[in-house]
Amino acid sequence: MRAYAPGGPLVSNIEVTATTVQRGDIIQLGGHAFRVSDLFQLPQGAKQLVFESGELLTIHARTRLAAVRMLRRR
């Protein structure tokens, strides 16, 4: 689903995996929203996500998470 907030960016609710997660994605965990600031490839397809708040999250290759992605305007 894509939504446009008046005066705001275009956002999309997506499902991310270790393969598709990107910097800037906002992931909802435990009722809190975390923005991905950096990520590192780990063995066997896993990734370690670094959030703007400093927390780390390691996700397995098959982990699926709900996220919000800001879409660029063309």
Side-chain angles (χ1 to χ4, degrees):
M1 171 183 224
R2 293 182 178 171
Y4 175 75
L10 192 62
V11 297
S12 179
N13 292 321
I14 58 170
E15 182 177 85
V16 295
T17 65
T19 306
T20 61
V21 67
Q22 298 178 0
R23 286 180 185 90
D25 286 350
I26 301 170
I27 299 174
Q28 187 85 9
L29 297 169
H32 299 279
F34 296 92
R35 184 184 302 266
V36 178
S37 65
D38 205 359
L39 38 98
F40 300 96
Q41 184 69 47
L42 298 175
Q44 300 174 349
K47 280 204 180 147
Q48 184 175 54
L49 310 180
V50 181
F51 297 118
E52 286 181 345
S53 58
E55 283 100 351
L56 301 174
L57 175 68
T58 302
I59 59 174
H60 184 272
R62 290 194 242 165
T63 302
R64 297 184 184 281
L65 299 168
V68 173
R69 183 170 291 164
M70 302 296 183
L71 302 175
R72 294 182 186 164
R73 286 194 153 151
R74 296 180 199 196

